[in-house]
Amino acid sequence: MKHFALLLALFVGFATSALARDLMPLNASPQEMLSPPFVDEAGHKLKLDNFHGKIVLLNVWATWCVPCRTEMPTLDALQAQIGSDQFQVVELSIDEGGFPVIRRFFSEIGITHLKPYLADSLRIFAALAVDGLPTTILIDRQGREIGRLVGPAEWNRPESIAFFEKIIASKEN
């Protein structure tokens, strides 16, 4: 019976939806990170450096990624609630179909507050050490990684909003 309880606990732990997980774990100290190139819909070449001065929640995703599709509305809601000149959700797609595929997806699920960006998957995976989708990286105002979460989350929960508002208000970030 003791072994059954242990197996059940392990199963429940693995089966628990990633959407119910705790908030994003923070690094012990900010980590320098590369700034790989990507483009916006107008074809402007950008880097993460373009967002210096803001807290950025960088989400690496693809339209074919089921967990990415599930969390996208919560990222849109987060941007709607606290997006500002101090905070921005940056949606970085690795879709090979480009912006037409992304626009169609955004339209299908009603994404209205996020701007899509597109990057080469190999460059992004290597430069940002992405090992699964979605990967979401919290970046401070100096362009350093301060937290990371692999897998989906409910980004617009009240606890998440409070978490990000605290990060935005902090003078350390």
Side-chain angles (χ1 to χ4, degrees), residues 5-6 45-46 70 79 93 95 112 120 125 127 143 146 152 167 171-172:
L6 178 60
K45 293 180 181 178
L46 302 168
T70 302
Q79 178 65 26
S93 173
D95 277 282
T112 58
D120 174 78
F125 278 43
I146 56 175
I167 299 276
K171 299 297 180 198
E172 294 176 20

Side-chain angles (χ1 to χ4, degrees), residues 2-74:
K2 184 172 148 183
H3 295 290
F4 176 75
L6 178 60
L7 287 173
L8 181 61
L10 285 172
F11 174 76
V12 169
F14 288 124
T16 299
S17 168
L19 293 177
R21 75 173 75 215
D22 291 331
L23 296 176
M24 171 183 282
L26 296 177
N27 299 338
S29 62
Q31 306 295 310
E32 294 298 324
M33 55 187 294
L34 297 175
S35 185
F38 54 94
V39 296
D40 65 12
E41 278 192 280
H44 298 116
K45 293 180 181 178
L46 302 168
K47 290 186 168 197
L48 293 172
D49 298 341
N50 292 92
F51 297 94
H52 274 207
K54 287 185 179 188
I55 301 293
V56 172
L57 188 65
L58 175 69
N59 182 257
V60 180
W61 71 287
T63 58
W64 44 261
C65 164
V66 174
C68 301
R69 297 174 72 89
T70 302
E71 81 170 351
M72 188 65 65
T74 71

Side-chain angles (χ1 to χ4, degrees), residues 145-158:
E145 179 180 324
I146 56 175
R148 176 182 293 244
L149 182 68
V150 178
E154 285 182 326
W155 297 105
N156 63 332
R157 296 182 323 189

Side-chain angles (χ1 to χ4, degrees), residues 156-173:
N156 63 332
R157 296 182 323 189
E159 309 85 59
S160 297
I161 299 294
F163 171 78
F164 290 116
E165 286 175 338
K166 184 177 178 182
I167 299 276
I168 294 165
S170 171
K171 299 297 180 198
E172 294 176 20
N173 299 308

